[in-house]
Amino acid sequence: LMNSAPPCICLCKVSFLCPLYNYTTTCMDKHQVVGLLRQMEKFLKGQEIRFTEGLRIMKSKLASLQSSASKLPQADQSAAPTTCPSLEAPAHGTKFGSKYFVGHEVHFTCSQGYQLVGSPTRVCRDNGTWTGVGAACKDVSECASNPCQNGGTCVEGINQYKCTCPQNWSGSHCQDQTQTAPPEWSVMNDPAFSRRPRCAQVNQAQHCSCDAGFHMSGTSDNSICQDVNECEVYRLDQGGKLCVHQCVNVPGSYHCSCPSGYKLLPDGRSCEDVDECLSQKHNCSRGTSCVNTGGGFQCVNPECPHSHGNISYVKTSPFQCERNPCPRNRRPCHLAPKTVSFHYLFLPSNLQTPATLFRMATATAPGRTGPDSLRFGIASGNSRGMFVMQRSDRQTGELILVQQLSGPQEISVDVDMSEYTDRTFQAKHVARVNILVSPYNF
């Protein structure tokens, strides 16, 4: 035999040339042939055993892989996501959030005159239950602070109260002693607001009258026309505001005035802010930007975040900074905000809530696919729970004011938007919203 070539077999005893392999051999006897066949049979049997064992090992490993894969939480893509039970808004309150999937938040606030009892925010957990406890709105007693003075009795109303005053006392809190004369709305001690009446003899009797805006005061023998303070009459009649800002009484009439930085509208009672930035009536220096505020303006020049480590930013516009490219394998750099933008909002005092203040959305360059998932949140500036961040659609988040703000004050709140593709974090964008609250409610 040569190497593993098949043997050339013959049963004769004559030497011959084997044509297939071109070598000369002699024929084997019967015992040699039987021995050779047994060797080949053992060889084939060994090969069959090794093949069968290898096949068994491969099947065992395949079954182990299938068992491990079935235990992964994302293996069953068709399984319905875990949800939590539906939550309802409390009586005299409002609920924010309509998604009940794992990780989603629901927020609760109460109407004016009610106080929240329970958890203001609840999160859906992996086991299908909500964090926190149920929210309820408890009535806040308007009379609890004893607002009525001098023995007055406090009477509860809907989100308000009224003082029933004892004799000889008056006013919203029974703080004023009752005057017998003259009426509160009469201007008595200023000569500029007094006039002589117009009198005429009719049928041997004298009849006197006053001009519009004046009333007759004194006796029939010694009468005088005193000015009617229209601003005070309107206030005492509780007819609302005669002027949006300030009512100024003048002899026989009145007029409305506006604070500095506002102008009076043609209706004679409303005020409108003068936009100094739009009308170029500001004195902002070069390199700063003008931002209009209630009754004035501000010159701003927002700065990019300071560099630290491998993270640095460059200003690409007066109100936006972008992060410089990150070195490879620098995870803290990739987790830092990719863009930081600055926004300025002007709000009147005591704006009715809830009110949407700011919207944040992703922008994708033409021809490129955007992220398949976005997450919105409030990064800082919400320690008093004045805001909530809520998704309005798949690509947009909204910053909502849920508590009234009184001015003047300035509040800064940072909101962020994180982009994900195939559940992998891609980038984060931060918007710093600076809210300028006017001291006036117009």
Side-chain angles (χ1 to χ4, degrees):
L1 296 176
M2 295 182 61
N3 298 330
S4 59
C8 227
I9 302 173
C10 62
L11 299 179
C12 64
K13 294 183 179 180
V14 180
S15 297
F16 68 99
L17 181 65
C18 189
L20 180 61
Y21 297 97
N22 195 20
Y23 65 86
T24 304
T25 185
T26 57
C27 294
M28 296 180 290
D29 60 21
K30 179 178 180 180
H31 294 289
Q32 289 177 320
V33 172
V34 172
L36 180 61
L37 292 175
R38 286 178 178 173
Q39 288 180 5
M40 292 184 67
E41 183 179 3
K42 289 180 180 180
F43 172 78
L44 293 175
K45 196 167 187 178
Q47 291 293 93
E48 181 181 4
I49 291 173
R50 282 192 291 272
F51 177 80
T52 304
E53 180 64 16
L55 188 62
R56 185 190 65 78
I57 293 173
M58 289 181 65
K59 288 182 178 180
S60 175
K61 289 183 177 181
L62 181 61
S64 177
L65 285 173
Q66 289 176 338
S67 175
S68 299
S70 65
K71 296 177 181 179
L72 294 175
Q74 63 269 33
D76 186 5
Q77 298 293 340
S78 62
T82 304
T83 60
C84 291
S86 174
L87 295 177
E88 299 297 330
H92 308 293
T94 306
K95 179 190 74 173
F96 299 91
S98 58
K99 303 293 185 182
Y100 304 135
F101 296 109
V102 172
H104 279 259
E105 297 181 0
V106 175
H107 308 270
F108 303 93
T109 61
C110 292
S111 304
Q112 187 176 0
Y114 293 87
Q115 183 178 3
L116 183 69
V117 178
S119 301
T121 299
R122 304 186 71 181
V123 183
C124 183
R125 293 185 285 208
D126 294 335
N127 60 2
T129 61
W130 292 98
T131 61
V133 296
C137 294
K138 183 181 178 182
D139 184 21
V140 178
S141 174
E142 300 288 342
C143 292
S145 60
N146 299 318
C148 300
Q149 306 172 19
N150 302 307
T153 303
C154 184
V155 180
E156 290 278 0
I158 300 176
N159 296 332
Q160 61 181 358
Y161 65 89
K162 183 178 181 181
C163 291
T164 302
C165 301
Q167 190 175 6
N168 298 328
W169 293 95
S170 63
S172 58
H173 298 89
C174 303
Q175 74 277 13
D176 301 321
Q177 280 191 302
T178 303
Q179 301 292 328
T180 55
E184 293 183 45
W185 42 260
S186 179
V187 181
M188 299 296 295
N189 300 320
D190 191 336
F193 290 84
S194 301
R195 294 183 181 179
R196 301 298 301 177
R198 295 194 306 268
C199 299
Q201 289 290 125
V202 179
N203 296 328
Q204 298 181 351
Q206 182 172 270
H207 293 271
C208 298
S209 63
C210 296
D211 295 332
F214 292 83
H215 74 99
M216 191 76 69
S217 177
T219 65
S220 57
D221 297 330
N222 188 21
S223 60
I224 191 171
C225 293
Q226 299 289 349
D227 175 65
V228 175
N229 188 338
E230 291 84 359
C231 303
E232 191 69 10
V233 170
Y234 210 83
R235 185 187 69 83
L236 294 174
D237 287 344
Q238 298 182 350
K241 279 191 173 183
L242 189 59
C243 297
V244 168
H245 176 59
Q246 184 176 4
C247 181
V248 179
N249 185 56
V250 296
S253 185
Y254 73 96
H255 67 81
C256 298
S257 68
C258 296
S260 176
Y262 290 81
K263 62 181 179 180
L264 190 66
L265 291 180
D267 64 3
R269 61 180 301 270
S270 303
C271 297
E272 182 180 67
D273 175 57
V274 176
D275 191 336
E276 292 84 359
C277 301
L278 184 63
S279 60
Q280 297 296 316
K281 294 181 180 179
H282 62 85
N283 57 357
C284 293
S285 61
R286 190 173 182 179
T288 63
S289 300
C290 179
V291 174
N292 186 57
T293 64
F297 63 92
Q298 284 189 8
C299 301
V300 300
N301 183 22
E303 296 183 356
C304 295
H306 296 296
S307 300
H308 60 281
N310 293 312
I311 305 171
S312 61
Y313 290 85
V314 61
K315 208 167 189 180
T316 56
S317 74
F319 297 101
Q320 180 156 314
C321 301
E322 293 189 12
R323 189 192 65 210
N324 285 313
C326 292
R328 290 187 176 182
N329 302 323
R330 295 293 183 180
R331 180 173 175 81
C333 181
H334 288 285
L335 294 177
K338 187 176 181 181
T339 63
V340 179
S341 57
F342 303 88
H343 308 266
Y344 295 85
L345 303 180
F346 162 59
L347 297 182
S349 188
N350 298 318
L351 178 68
Q352 187 174 0
T353 58
T356 300
L357 302 183
F358 179 77
R359 288 185 174 88
M360 194 174 190
T362 184
T364 305
R368 296 183 61 184
T369 58
D372 55 24
S373 176
L374 297 174
R375 297 180 186 175
F376 299 92
I378 299 178
S380 64
N382 194 31
S383 59
R384 291 185 286 168
M386 297 178 294
F387 309 95
V388 296
M389 193 71 181
Q390 177 176 306
R391 188 189 296 271
S392 61
D393 57 41
R394 185 174 177 271
Q395 299 292 335
T396 308
E398 293 181 338
L399 179 66
I400 300 176
L401 176 68
V402 296
Q403 295 183 24
Q404 288 188 340
L405 301 176
S406 298
Q409 64 172 311
E410 184 172 343
I411 300 172
S412 181
V413 57
D414 289 354
V415 297
D416 59 36
M417 175 182 69
S418 300
E419 299 178 348
Y420 289 81
T421 300
D422 295 331
R423 300 186 180 181
T424 301
F425 174 82
Q426 301 296 321
K428 180 168 67 174
H429 306 272
V430 171
R432 175 160 294 174
V433 184
N434 297 281
I435 301 170
L436 312 172
V437 186
S438 166
Y440 311 110
N441 59 356
F442 51 83

